[in-house]
Amino acid sequence: LGRKPRTFDQRVPRLFELQRGLALPPVPVSVDWTVGMPSDLGQFLNDSLGDCTVAAMLHAQQVWSFNATPPMAQVDDADALTAYEGACGYNPQDSSTDQGGVEQSVLAYWINTPVGANTLAAFVEVDPKNIDNVKRTIADGGVAYIGFNVPNYLMAGDPPELWDIDPSGDNSVAGGHAVVLAGYDTNGVKVISWGRVYSMTWAFFSLWTDEVYALVDADWINATGTSPAG
């Protein structure tokens, strides 16, 4: 699926530490940055390559630009391929190099190298167990960039519109996947994956997600005046 096991780098700042001592307002009950976006957002080669860590970066750019600096960014498969080669070492002439990527390494690459026409300003780690901060990341930053383990029952055919826990299904892990979350309400989150918008329940998120990042986009902050760290 394309997301390698998560890494731990103490140099990556953590959101709860940046928020310490700040009087932040309550997070909104619901947010949905996908409203009005095209139904087909492009798979960016993730239907044939394990480049989900890169595809998620391009989907983030679509959300930011559509909502804060329209029109929506025109990113394409060529942008995905260039980033997959640079961030993950993929060689189109050697299929054995299609090994996916480590989220923190891919995000660090994005800070130093433009992906499409966008360079990431920073990324901050968010505790997946702190749902309030996950919501704040989406509400104030546009997206949350996450990594989760995909149970095999979700891959038994086309992915369903709603991703939920299934105690009776095959809960062995098919692999790791990277996506962006671009909305939430009391029931769950809006997920952009494989070029489409899906829904994920909070129960599914809590069970399978093991890394979450707030992404800092300069254009988003300049246009909206908000960032997850206040």
Side-chain angles (χ1 to χ4, degrees):
L1 284 167
R3 182 195 70 126
K4 291 182 177 179
R6 67 151 300 158
T7 55
F8 296 87
D9 188 336
Q10 294 303 312
R11 296 173 297 176
V12 178
R14 291 175 288 183
L15 185 59
F16 79 90
E17 293 176 339
L18 298 179
Q19 293 175 335
R20 186 174 290 135
L22 298 178
L24 297 174
V27 295
V29 174
S30 64
V31 165
D32 189 353
W33 298 115
T34 70
V35 173
M37 294 186 73
S39 58
D40 183 358
L41 294 168
Q43 298 199 50
F44 303 127
L45 305 177
N46 197 209
D47 53 341
S48 58
L49 296 175
D51 70 335
C52 60
T53 54
V54 168
M57 297 193 297
L58 298 177
H59 289 314
Q61 293 180 38
Q62 291 174 316
V63 174
W64 289 328
S65 57
F66 181 85
N67 287 281
T69 58
M72 190 175 76
Q74 296 301 304
V75 288
D76 55 29
D77 289 355
D79 296 318
L81 182 59
T82 298
Y84 193 39
E85 291 174 4
C88 304
Y90 174 63
N91 178 357
Q93 307 305 315
D94 182 358
S95 61
S96 70
T97 61
D98 181 16
Q99 296 294 319
V102 174
E103 290 199 356
Q104 289 190 3
S105 298
V106 169
L107 294 175
Y109 170 88
W110 191 6
I111 287 176
N112 294 296
T113 307
V115 175
N118 178 284
T119 302
L120 188 67
F123 65 96
V124 178
E125 185 155 8
V126 181
D127 182 357
K129 295 182 177 61
N130 189 330
I131 299 300
D132 189 74
N133 269 355
V134 175
K135 291 179 178 179
R136 190 177 301 280
T137 294
I138 299 168
D140 290 348
V143 299
Y145 181 98
I146 76 165
F148 68 102
N149 293 315
V150 182
N152 268 300
Y153 69 78
L154 195 71
M155 304 301 293
D158 292 334
E161 296 291 332
L162 176 65
W163 302 356
D164 199 358
I165 59 174
D166 182 1
S168 64
D170 182 355
N171 279 263
S172 59
V173 174
H177 193 36
V179 298
V180 289
L181 310 181
Y184 67 84
D185 58 20
T186 56
N187 297 314
V189 291
K190 293 289 187 178
V191 183
I192 301 179
S193 178
W194 300 303
R196 296 180 55 194
V197 178
Y198 297 90
S199 294
M200 175 191 292
T201 66
W202 284 117
F204 185 98
F205 172 89
S206 297
L207 180 61
W208 296 108
T209 304
D210 62 5
E211 56 183 330
V212 178
Y213 301 97
L215 307 184
V216 183
D217 179 66
D219 289 340
W220 174 273
I221 291 175
N222 289 334
T224 66
T226 63
S227 70

